[in-house]
Amino acid sequence: MDNLDELEPLFYPRSLAVVGASTSETKFGGRFLQALINFGYRGPIYPVNPKGSEILGLKMYPGVREIPEPVELADIMVPAHLVPQVLEECLAKGIRAAQIFTSGFAETGEEQGRRLEEELRALAKRGIRIVGPNCFGVYCPEGGHTLLPGGDFPQESGPVAFITQSGGHAVEFARLARGMGIRFSKVVSYGNACDVNESDLLEYLARDSKTRIIAVYLEGPRQGRRFLRLVGEVAREKPVLIWKAGLTSTGARAVYSHTASLAGEEAVWEALFRQTAALRVKNLEELADATVALLRLPPNTGRRVGVVGGGGGISVAVADACDRAGLEVPPLSHDVQERLRGILPPAGTAVRNPVDIGAPIVFPTVFEGVMEAVACADGIDTIIATQAMYHVLAGVLGPPPEQMPALIRALVEVAPKVRDRSGKPVVIVLPVGGDELDKLEAEKGRREIRDSYLEMGVPCFPTLERAVRAVAHVARYYEKVAELS
Amino acid sequence: MDNLDELEPLFYPRSLAVVGASTSETKFGGRFLQALINFGYRGPIYPVNPKGSEILGLKMYPGVREIPEPVELADIMVPAHLVPQVLEECLAKGIRAAQIFTSGFAETGEEQGRRLEEELRALAKRGIRIVGPNCFGVYCPEGGHTLLPGGDFPQESGPVAFITQSGGHAVEFARLARGMGIRFSKVVSYGNACDVNESDLLEYLARDSKTRIIAVYLEGPRQGRRFLRLVGEVAREKPVLIWKAGLTSTGARAVYSHTASLAGEEAVWEALFRQTAALRVKNLEELADATVALLRLPPNTGRRVGVVGGGGGISVAVADACDRAGLEVPPLSHDVQERLRGILPPAGTAVRNPVDIGAPIVFPTVFEGVMEAVACADGIDTIIATQAMYHVLAGVLGPPPEQMPALIRALVEVAPKVRDRSGKPVVIVLPVGGDELDKLEAEKGRREIRDSYLEMGVPCFPTLERAVRAVAHVARYYEKVAELS
């Protein structure tokens, strides 16, 4: 793209017009204005609607041209057939950027919608950059702008960007990400991409110093070749995670109904993921898990894992899951096994790798000794620990309640201590404590422990499959970057 | 097996001895006795330990032969080398069933352990049926017996049986299952299977009128041919779900360390799952999900699903997930699409299938109209609805708080109403409302809604992948039963 600066007002608008602002709370126009105010946008907001004189304490304007001050961004949510006229007025007013939330364009599959979208495209070429239509727009906490239903999104920024053809996924990803400690530089729901498309956004984010990881949900790129070329380049510098939807035949049909996209050939995408460092994920959960892992694990996160678990069945499950995800669980050396035998009781345990620490009750000194021994072993890159908190979360077989907080603290501190001493990454599996209505206390306990881990930079997942899959993504990323450099 | 009645005392013991009962709470012997009492075992309990005269208000006996009354079951947790002697005493006392929790037998991989296990096997042949060693034993709420760390397990019975070589998985599955409304007839953690093995248990459960669904976690069967033959027979009568672990090379090694099992050949197991109605699952979550679905979905649950979702991106994700799981999402007929167009707004929606109901705010009348139209469509077997509760759970874009309970009730009632009128099964996707520490209220809301659904017999899953996978298992089961009959 010639001039990436053109996209700046979409992320950092110094003033904005809400065209189609409504006093009705059930309409998007009312909700979005409320969301912007709740989110705390700091520049002037100019609501535009021919009906009414004031809304939520703000003066209402009949049209954008009637706004007396300069406007950098127009957030547009009038009915589809009125959008071209609004854009004409924006051009006349000198507005250089717009987001169109309205649906009813090419995605309807009907002639009228397609024609309307062509009009938007032509208007964009006359000097206004457009995100949308049929989208939820931009969330950029640093710029104070939130997307359509994003009034309660976090106001802190972070290093993750997400570009998505689905507004629903933008909201869902942000929701999932919050509890996992992911914060965003930019989230863009860009819908039908009549002007600003996936390739423009990828190029922008590649150069954006605020963005360290780029997550993408894609139905069909508007500039396929440019996108594939860009992915290859960008992924060497920053992790690029792509959820490519619609590669099944049923999915391809749904993709067309949604954003009028052509899903493309599986083979093209497979080649991309084979040849570049881009990572392929298959759903939102995997996208969030891989993002957490990339945020918190170092480049020396390798495939050879040492697994510390409680219970033989769980060790078997970890071993199978690692094997399926392409991780190795190499047997520990004789010396390390001897060292472990010195720490663990002889019966109900195992020391080869996975290491089974036996009883569900784990004492911090035992846990630390075992973790330390595994982390020091040659030929082990990454340590995955599971079930050490079992008795804490299940609330059975534990110590008296008054001793619990100290025990939890001591157990939680093992992982960062061992990581820092050994220089090897540690990943924790921390299952949901109980899914019943009357077990919310256990769930509260889990979330507290998880937050402690995340604060100390230790990634933490609720199931071992998710942990193992996330580690495999990180290992794959740095291997591929090394191979391509 | 010649005489299945021999296993009765394991499930329904009228009196039992706890051999190795300890006053120390940190020892298994102390914890298990406490668990039995907490669980509410109704027959006489005779603690056995040469040291001490009383424990938890119960008279202690120095050995089983000193117990003055008849004893049906011995729960044994003395150190491994003492177990043969205890079994001799049990035989002398006329005890016909025992569970051995103790580890340190063949699973150690050492000569001494193997020899000890041989001794147990020989003792069993002299007239005592043994579960274990290296196990957590039997949970049978109807018989009042719980397994090793199972003091807080539900006292209600249900139609699901679980036999498992891993005690950890027994506990974990019960934990997962509780929140999903699964209740058990019997759970058996049978460990090394020196006597009672997977095949004996499967045969027993096949004839057990209290058991309608049989779930199995298996590392390596002790009687492979018998087990494979039995699975084929039993699965035609009752669903048999099998999680076969250790089929990867890393997993096979872990399996040997755990229960001294040989994991076997992938090809043998693949043939089993191809040729019989048994269902293959790959982890505990899938096992629980498939169980919930089999419990609550009727035999006419077919592969042709009608999907009702909110948001285009979610519809695409459902379509891809269905395709991958082997479900079909056939386009709805022209008439049904017209009917849907009459209910839904023209923009931001889709009517082909998946049906996109558009905005995240769903009104019960609209939801019911759409569900009804899809359920009445020819060529649709099963309805999956997702995201209808989005605004409720996310706590954004919803109605004022005081209107919330009525709205939730009205929305929840749609699924059973449509199911009962159409005769077609309905499945709900209900995501976790928010995973942050300060979003526990949303999680409480989700659990309440889920419990309402489960009470009305509507299966309900937290992610669409899990819902789709569970439906595919049910469809596969009844197809295969029809094919084989």
Side-chain angles (χ1 to χ4, degrees):
Chain A
M1 204 166 59
D2 296 342
N3 196 349
L4 289 173
D5 295 345
E6 286 175 10
L7 302 190
E8 289 291 303
L10 288 161
F11 300 111
Y12 304 99
R14 275 170 295 191
S15 58
L16 56 81
V18 177
V19 186
S22 163
T23 47
S24 163
E25 273 205 30
T26 61
K27 291 196 178 158
F28 275 144
R31 289 176 188 280
F32 177 66
L33 190 58
Q34 185 68 65
L36 262 187
I37 294 168
N38 291 352
F39 188 69
Y41 175 72
R42 288 170 175 275
I45 301 176
Y46 305 104
V48 173
N49 193 329
K51 288 173 266 178
S53 61
E54 203 192 276
I55 177 172
L56 297 167
L58 297 169
K59 178 171 159 50
M60 187 96 97
Y61 296 87
V64 289
R65 275 174 305 190
E66 281 76 20
I67 300 169
E69 303 293 325
V71 175
E72 287 207 345
L73 173 69
D75 290 323
I76 299 170
M77 55 214 78
V78 299
H81 67 279
L82 300 176
V83 172
Q85 187 198 322
V86 168
L87 286 173
E88 284 283 6
E89 293 168 17
C90 288
L91 281 166
K93 170 70 186 164
I95 300 175
R96 292 281 169 264
Q99 305 184 67
I100 301 167
F101 299 148
T102 313
S103 302
F105 294 88
E107 84 282 1
T108 57
E110 281 162 26
E111 184 48 32
Q112 197 199 354
R114 271 197 295 269
R115 224 178 37 234
L116 270 173
E117 193 158 319
E118 274 309 316
E119 282 187 57
L120 305 192
R121 193 166 288 121
L123 284 154
K125 294 214 174 94
R126 288 168 48 200
I128 183 166
R129 300 309 309 252
I130 299 175
V131 165
N134 187 30
C135 75
F136 281 178
V138 169
Y139 161 65
C140 175
E142 198 189 0
H145 196 272
T146 193
L147 46 70
L148 187 46
D152 65 338
F153 278 29
Q155 306 204 351
E156 315 119 76
S157 296
V160 178
F162 181 37
I163 59 182
T164 166
Q165 261 180 293
S166 157
H169 288 332
V171 174
E172 282 291 287
F173 189 57
R175 181 184 64 77
L176 261 182
R178 256 182 287 189
M180 298 166 90
I182 299 172
R183 294 294 178 273
F184 294 97
S185 57
K186 277 107 188 160
V187 174
V188 186
S189 151
Y190 65 92
N192 293 8
C194 80
D195 174 36
V196 175
N197 64 31
E198 70 296 324
S199 303
D200 301 329
L201 291 166
L202 183 57
E203 199 173 339
Y204 178 91
L205 294 170
R207 299 192 212 167
D208 179 26
S209 65
K210 305 297 168 66
T211 297
R212 197 154 68 78
I213 294 172
I214 303 170
V216 181
Y217 168 77
L218 199 66
E219 299 189 345
R222 291 300 182 252
Q223 293 181 289
R225 282 194 198 178
R226 180 176 163 216
F227 183 73
L228 297 179
R229 179 179 52 75
L230 276 170
V231 166
E233 289 168 19
V234 177
R236 283 197 251 181
E237 308 297 327
K238 302 180 180 186
V240 177
L241 300 129
I242 301 178
W243 176 12
K244 173 64 185 79
L247 287 179
T248 66
S249 60
T250 315
R253 216 175 58 219
V255 149
Y256 192 81
S257 297
H258 182 217
T259 52
S261 298
L262 298 173
E265 297 291 329
E266 174 89 35
V268 172
W269 293 95
E270 273 182 359
L272 177 77
F273 292 113
R274 207 170 44 241
Q275 290 160 6
T276 73
L279 297 171
R280 176 181 207 165
V281 302
K282 297 213 164 160
N283 55 47
L284 218 46
E285 190 176 86
E286 188 176 359
L287 187 62
D289 289 343
T291 301
V292 167
L294 284 161
L295 273 175
R296 291 192 161 76
L297 294 177
N300 66 336
T301 304
R303 291 186 185 278
R304 299 173 305 173
V305 299
V307 179
V308 176
I314 286 149
S315 296
V316 173
V318 175
D320 275 341
C322 284
D323 208 296
R324 280 192 203 110
L327 300 182
E328 295 160 34
V329 190
L332 295 166
S333 70
H334 181 76
D335 286 357
V336 177
Q337 292 195 33
E338 277 309 303
R339 186 171 160 189
L340 288 167
R341 277 201 190 91
I343 303 167
L344 291 169
T349 60
V351 296
R352 272 179 67 109
N353 192 19
V355 177
D356 177 357
I357 45 182
I361 310 161
V362 183
F363 297 100
T365 47
V366 173
F367 186 46
E368 185 171 341
V370 171
M371 290 285 281
E372 185 84 25
V374 175
C376 293
D378 285 339
I380 296 293
D381 306 315
T382 306
I383 297 93
I384 299 179
T386 172
Q387 294 302 92
M389 293 291 185
Y390 178 76
H391 59 302
V392 179
L393 295 169
V396 291
L397 292 179
E402 69 276 10
Q403 293 173 24
M404 211 46 130
L407 175 66
I408 291 175
R409 210 174 317 119
L411 280 169
V412 168
E413 279 166 3
V414 170
K417 234 191 273 180
V418 168
R419 173 198 63 194
D420 295 343
R421 281 200 296 248
S422 69
K424 291 182 185 172
V426 175
V427 173
I428 297 287
V429 178
L430 188 72
V432 169
D435 195 30
E436 298 142 276
L437 186 53
D438 62 2
K439 284 277 175 8
L440 277 168
E441 266 307 302
E443 177 58 12
K444 180 161 174 268
R446 179 188 72 90
R447 294 183 186 190
E448 283 166 353
I449 296 171
R450 178 203 57 194
D451 290 351
S452 306
Y453 274 125
L454 292 176
E455 268 165 39
M456 295 185 298
V458 177
C460 179
F461 302 92
T463 72
L464 69 93
E465 279 85 1
R466 291 175 60 179
V468 159
R469 189 177 62 180
V471 168
H473 277 305
V474 178
R476 199 264 177 196
Y477 178 69
Y478 291 108
E479 276 167 17
K480 201 73 189 177
V481 167
E483 182 193 318
L484 296 171
S485 67
Chain B
M1 202 166 59
D2 297 340
N3 198 348
L4 290 173
D5 296 344
E6 286 175 10
L7 302 190
E8 289 292 303
L10 289 161
F11 300 111
Y12 304 99
R14 276 171 295 191
S15 58
L16 56 82
V18 177
V19 186
S22 164
T23 46
S24 163
E25 273 205 29
T26 60
K27 290 195 177 157
F28 275 145
R31 288 176 188 281
F32 177 66
L33 190 59
Q34 185 67 67
L36 262 187
I37 293 168
N38 291 353
F39 188 70
Y41 176 73
R42 287 169 177 275
I45 302 176
Y46 304 105
V48 174
N49 193 329
K51 286 173 267 175
S53 61
E54 203 194 276
I55 177 172
L56 298 167
L58 297 169
K59 178 171 160 48
M60 187 97 97
Y61 295 87
V64 290
R65 274 174 306 190
E66 281 75 20
I67 301 169
E69 304 293 324
V71 175
E72 288 207 344
L73 173 68
D75 291 321
I76 299 170
M77 56 214 78
V78 299
H81 67 281
L82 299 175
V83 173
Q85 188 198 323
V86 168
L87 286 173
E88 284 284 5
E89 292 169 18
C90 287
L91 280 165
K93 169 71 185 163
I95 299 174
R96 292 280 168 265
Q99 306 184 65
I100 301 167
F101 300 148
T102 314
S103 302
F105 294 87
E107 84 283 1
T108 57
E110 282 161 26
E111 184 47 33
Q112 197 199 353
R114 270 197 296 268
R115 225 178 38 233
L116 270 173
E117 193 159 319
E118 273 310 315
E119 282 186 57
L120 305 192
R121 192 166 290 121
L123 284 154
K125 294 214 173 95
R126 288 168 48 198
I128 182 166
R129 300 309 309 253
I130 299 175
V131 165
N134 186 30
C135 74
F136 280 178
V138 169
Y139 160 66
C140 175
E142 197 189 0
H145 196 272
T146 194
L147 46 71
L148 186 46
D152 65 338
F153 278 31
Q155 306 203 351
E156 315 119 75
S157 295
V160 177
F162 181 38
I163 59 183
T164 166
Q165 260 179 296
S166 157
H169 288 332
V171 175
E172 282 290 288
F173 189 57
R175 182 185 64 78
L176 260 183
R178 256 182 286 189
M180 297 166 89
I182 300 172
R183 292 295 177 275
F184 294 97
S185 57
K186 277 106 189 159
V187 174
V188 186
S189 151
Y190 65 92
N192 293 9
C194 81
D195 174 36
V196 175
N197 63 30
E198 69 297 322
S199 303
D200 301 329
L201 291 166
L202 183 57
E203 199 172 338
Y204 179 91
L205 294 169
R207 301 193 212 166
D208 179 25
S209 65
K210 306 294 167 68
T211 297
R212 197 153 68 77
I213 294 172
I214 303 170
V216 182
Y217 168 77
L218 198 66
E219 299 189 345
R222 292 298 182 253
Q223 292 181 290
R225 281 194 198 178
R226 181 176 161 215
F227 183 72
L228 297 179
R229 178 180 52 74
L230 276 170
V231 167
E233 289 167 19
V234 177
R236 283 197 252 181
E237 308 296 326
K238 301 179 181 187
V240 178
L241 300 128
I242 301 178
W243 175 14
K244 173 66 185 78
L247 287 179
T248 66
S249 60
T250 314
R253 215 175 60 220
V255 149
Y256 192 81
S257 295
H258 182 216
T259 53
S261 298
L262 298 174
E265 297 290 328
E266 173 90 34
V268 173
W269 293 94
E270 273 182 359
L272 177 78
F273 292 113
R274 206 170 46 240
Q275 290 159 9
T276 73
L279 298 172
R280 176 181 208 167
V281 301
K282 297 213 164 160
N283 55 47
L284 219 46
E285 189 178 87
E286 187 175 359
L287 188 62
D289 289 342
T291 301
V292 167
L294 284 160
L295 272 175
R296 290 190 160 78
L297 294 177
N300 66 339
T301 304
R303 291 185 185 278
R304 299 172 305 173
V305 299
V307 179
V308 176
I314 286 149
S315 296
V316 173
V318 176
D320 275 341
C322 285
D323 208 295
R324 278 192 205 110
L327 299 183
E328 297 160 32
V329 191
L332 295 167
S333 71
H334 181 77
D335 288 357
V336 176
Q337 292 195 35
E338 279 307 305
R339 187 171 159 190
L340 288 167
R341 277 201 190 90
I343 303 167
L344 291 169
T349 61
V351 295
R352 274 178 67 109
N353 193 21
V355 177
D356 176 358
I357 43 181
I361 310 161
V362 183
F363 296 100
T365 48
V366 173
F367 186 46
E368 186 171 342
V370 170
M371 291 286 281
E372 185 84 28
V374 175
C376 292
D378 285 338
I380 295 295
D381 306 315
T382 306
I383 297 92
I384 299 178
T386 173
Q387 294 301 93
M389 293 292 184
Y390 178 76
H391 58 302
V392 179
L393 295 169
V396 290
L397 293 179
E402 68 276 12
Q403 292 173 24
M404 211 45 130
L407 174 66
I408 291 175
R409 210 175 316 118
L411 280 170
V412 167
E413 279 166 4
V414 168
K417 235 191 272 180
V418 168
R419 173 197 63 193
D420 295 343
R421 281 200 296 248
S422 67
K424 292 182 185 172
V426 176
V427 173
I428 297 287
V429 178
L430 188 71
V432 168
D435 195 30
E436 298 140 277
L437 186 54
D438 62 3
K439 284 275 174 12
L440 278 168
E441 266 307 302
E443 177 58 11
K444 180 164 174 264
R446 179 188 72 91
R447 293 184 187 190
E448 283 167 353
I449 296 172
R450 177 203 59 194
D451 290 351
S452 306
Y453 275 126
L454 292 175
E455 268 165 40
M456 295 185 297
V458 177
C460 179
F461 301 92
T463 72
L464 69 93
E465 279 85 1
R466 291 174 61 178
V468 159
R469 189 177 63 181
V471 167
H473 277 305
V474 178
R476 199 263 177 197
Y477 178 70
Y478 290 108
E479 277 167 17
K480 201 73 188 176
V481 167
E483 181 193 317
L484 295 171
S485 68

